[in-house]
Amino acid sequence: GVSYNTSSDYRLKENVTDLTDGITRVKQLQPKRFNFIDDPDRTVDGFLAHEVTAVPEAISGDKDEVDDEGNPVYQGIDQSKLVPLLTAALQEAITKIETLEIKVAALETE
């Protein structure tokens, strides 16, 4: 099998803080359904690279970039870089749900 690993050991990092604005940033993402021009019969889910402003480190290249001869230089996206943000947003949502469940339970016992 193929394995893709990114260095993640804490000893390689500094200025580590918790990601606390996950829901706000996830709401900025604009998922789309589309097909690639060279594969019109296959519809996929994804993003338009220039719209992913919530996780700029996931995007390579610049919108509408062209080389010296006027040929397009296409943007790319590393969707794996979205995982920490999505995880943080899900954790925030779970916390909110649990808080609401406690409040509802308290109201039901009154």
Side-chain angles (χ1 to χ4, degrees):
V2 175
S3 176
Y4 297 99
N5 290 306
T6 302
S7 297
S8 189
D9 191 290
Y10 74 95
R11 296 169 294 179
L12 298 170
K13 301 170 183 180
E14 63 182 4
N15 304 317
V16 176
T17 60
D18 290 335
L19 202 162
T20 58
D21 59 346
I23 291 175
T24 301
R25 290 174 59 204
V26 162
K27 288 168 71 174
Q28 295 172 14
L29 295 174
Q30 301 174 51
K32 309 283 190 210
R33 286 190 61 72
F34 55 86
N35 65 276
F36 287 94
I37 293 168
D38 65 350
D39 194 0
D41 296 326
R42 185 171 153 244
T43 302
V44 297
D45 299 334
F47 299 93
L48 304 180
H50 72 276
E51 292 181 349
V52 182
T53 58
V55 189
E57 63 271 20
I59 305 306
S60 61
D62 296 311
K63 183 178 185 287
D64 299 324
E65 184 178 357
V66 294
D67 65 16
D68 293 339
E69 298 173 2
N71 300 308
V73 177
Y74 298 112
Q75 286 185 286
I77 183 170
D78 179 351
Q79 295 192 48
S80 70
K81 299 242 179 78
L82 302 178
V83 172
L85 173 60
L86 298 175
T87 302
L90 179 57
Q91 289 173 335
E92 290 173 24
I94 289 168
T95 298
K96 288 182 179 200
I97 291 167
E98 291 171 343
T99 300
L100 291 171
E101 288 174 338
I102 292 167
K103 289 180 179 181
V104 167
L107 290 171
E108 289 175 342
T109 60
E110 290 180 4

